[in-house]
Amino acid sequence: MNIPATAHEPNVISINVGGRIFQTTKQTLTLAGTDSLLSQLATESTTRFVDRDPGLFSVLLYILRTGNLPARSASFDVRDLIEESRYYGIEPFLIDSLSNPSQFEAFDLRKSRILQLNGRDSPSTIAPTSNGGGGLHVAHGSKITSFDWSLRRKSTVLTSFSAVDSLLEISPGVLAAGATDFPGLQIIDLENGGIVRTTLNWENVASSTVQATGSSSEFLFASFESSRRNSNSIMVYDLSTLLPLLELDRCDVYGAGNDSAIPSNKLRWIQSCNLLMVSGSHASPSGVSGHVRFWDVRSRSMVCEIKERGDCFSDVTVSENLSAVFKVGVASGEVFYTDLRGLGGKDHQWICLGEEKKRGVNERKGVGCKIESYGNHVFCSKGSGIELWSEVITGLVGNARRDVLEERVFRKNSFAAGSGENKITGLAFGGSRMFVTRKDQQSIEVWQSPSRGVSM
């Protein structure tokens, strides 16, 4: 083969890193940005010597070329890669490669590290960073502790809440925090020591507490309940200005036993449908009842409502990738789904993914179970373990025939349970990571695929 020599090729750049010669193109180096050292090296006409580690440089060069983390990176400590990426001026590329959701391998998750919290309070709620970079905010007691994307740097701020029940990052370094026993939704600026920028309240209600928060690219949603617990509503705010726009799902309670007494305690925006999913449940001597409602925010109309009785949900979530709503039954403890395309139709039904059995309302097998979706998977906590549900693609489903419910098949895998492990109280996902909290534990578990990512 006649391979042309590279010595006279003006587009090829040679770099000597720690005694090892690397060759790459000017285009690759300039991808790093004009302020980076690598971009400056692209202008060199002779081989430039850089007194750094060649092994770490090879990983960073691979990331620059492909945007992905090479398998060999597992032999390096993340702190070393962070230091090198900052030296060369390409830390954003390392962040993207480490936290890219495409690196998330649900079937190969392993506990990679434990994030310790200060104080004696267990986490009450956790919220991934809004940019999907794999960072995390944790509410524990009256404090909020934040971890950056590397999970090495953390900061803690003190709030005016005795306990934070709702937590959401609405922009980098800005949190929306609320509590079920303290009025108002506080907008907290972490970059300025945790000061409260403003407090959002339910209009025309003197004192109201926050039951849940959610957001889309345009809106911030907050579920409020009056201090007397005789009314509840969902306020919609402009995400950029935080000005109130409208009110949804207002319910005023008259008399006992009215389902309207149930405030929504979970809000999820469904981007593909432009709908807001709200859900809430309530336990009484006669059992657990609840609702799952879907609102068109722009028209202020409720598109669909699922009234839950019998085996009501302990928790509910929605997966846009799987085009389905999932719940875990509070009585049976089993996972059910209903197709998004069937919402509002006469044939709407919950389909059990496990071994459906008739159970009395007092059995409560699913009490405390949590369910969340991420990517093409659904995760449901069961005691100290987790069930992972994934769709098995059949020929008809592969041909976009998901409208036929009977053709959908899901497979279960179980993991995370260990001898003596405490019950799981929370699940959250960000970038390539899964975060887990457990009862009476002052820490957070970080789960990742060992084949994807460096040593933590």
Side-chain angles (χ1 to χ4, degrees), residues 29-80:
L29 294 179
T30 53
L31 288 174
T34 56
D35 295 331
S36 70
L37 173 60
L38 294 181
S39 182
Q40 297 173 24
L41 293 176
T43 63
E44 298 289 334
S45 57
T46 59
T47 301
R48 172 76 178 269
F49 177 76
V50 182
D51 191 16
R52 306 294 289 191
D53 186 282
L56 293 171
F57 181 79
S58 69
V59 172
L60 298 179
L61 187 59
Y62 184 94
I63 292 173
L64 201 61
R65 286 167 171 163
T66 67
N68 297 317
L69 202 64
R72 64 178 179 275
S73 64
S75 61
F76 296 97
D77 189 286
V78 68
R79 289 170 294 188
D80 296 332

Side-chain angles (χ1 to χ4, degrees), residues 191 196 372 413 432 438:
E191 300 298 327
V196 178
E372 295 290 347
N413 287 274
S432 59
R438 295 183 186 272

Side-chain angles (χ1 to χ4, degrees), residues 270-311:
I270 310 174
Q271 181 65 39
S272 58
C273 305
N274 282 321
L275 296 176
L276 176 66
M277 186 187 82
V278 306
S279 62
S281 62
H282 173 71
S284 67
S286 61
V288 181
S289 60
H291 65 258
V292 184
R293 298 171 182 152
F294 299 85
W295 282 87
D296 184 326
V297 175
R298 298 188 185 280
S299 66
R300 307 188 186 190
S301 60
M302 185 169 64
V303 175
C304 173
E305 179 179 25
I306 304 172
K307 293 185 177 181
E308 287 283 274
R309 291 180 174 83
D311 194 7

Side-chain angles (χ1 to χ4, degrees), residues 228-231 251-262 282:
R228 294 183 178 181
R229 297 188 176 179
N230 59 357
S231 58
C251 298
D252 294 293
V253 182
Y254 302 100
N258 195 321
D259 285 347
S260 63
I262 305 172
H282 173 71

Side-chain angles (χ1 to χ4, degrees), residues 171-376:
S171 64
V174 180
L175 300 178
T180 58
D181 61 354
F182 196 93
L185 179 66
Q186 295 186 359
I187 306 302
I188 300 175
D189 189 341
L190 298 179
E191 300 298 327
N192 290 295
I195 64 170
V196 178
R197 285 188 180 180
T198 186
T199 300
L200 307 179
N201 292 287
W202 182 9
E203 289 188 323
N204 303 320
V205 177
S207 178
S208 55
T209 59
V210 176
Q211 306 299 308
T213 56
S215 68
S216 69
S217 59
E218 300 177 67
F219 308 117
L220 170 64
F221 309 103
S223 173
F224 286 100
E225 184 180 36
S226 64
S227 58
R228 294 183 178 181
R229 297 188 176 179
N230 59 357
S231 58
N232 54 77
S233 181
I234 296 171
M235 286 296 299
V236 182
Y237 303 90
D238 183 286
L239 189 60
S240 59
T241 65
L242 298 179
L243 294 175
L245 296 177
L246 55 100
E247 180 183 60
L248 296 175
D249 208 17
R250 175 157 187 164
C251 298
D252 294 293
V253 182
Y254 302 100
N258 195 321
D259 285 347
S260 63
I262 305 172
S264 296
N265 51 34
K266 196 166 191 177
L267 309 177
R268 288 289 185 271
W269 178 253
I270 310 174
Q271 181 65 39
S272 58
C273 305
N274 282 321
L275 296 176
L276 176 66
M277 186 187 82
V278 306
S279 62
S281 62
H282 173 71
S284 67
S286 61
V288 181
S289 60
H291 65 258
V292 184
R293 298 171 182 152
F294 299 85
W295 282 87
D296 184 326
V297 175
R298 298 188 185 280
S299 66
R300 307 188 186 190
S301 60
M302 185 169 64
V303 175
C304 173
E305 179 179 25
I306 304 172
K307 293 185 177 181
E308 287 283 274
R309 291 180 174 83
D311 194 7
C312 183
F313 57 84
S314 173
D315 196 13
V316 62
T317 192
V318 61
S319 171
E320 295 194 63
N321 286 20
L322 298 174
S323 299
V325 180
F326 294 85
K327 76 169 185 177
V328 51
V330 70
S332 66
E334 299 292 352
V335 175
F336 298 76
Y337 86 95
T338 185
D339 201 289
L340 276 176
R341 300 182 184 185
L343 291 177
K346 296 181 180 179
D347 297 329
H348 160 73
Q349 59 179 325
W350 287 110
I351 299 175
C352 184
L353 299 184
E355 299 177 0
E356 186 174 13
K357 299 178 181 179
K358 291 185 178 181
R359 301 180 183 275
V361 294
N362 294 320
E363 289 195 54
R364 310 285 177 87
K365 296 286 185 178
V367 169
C369 292
K370 302 296 181 182
I371 190 166
E372 295 290 347
S373 66
Y374 193 63
N376 295 322

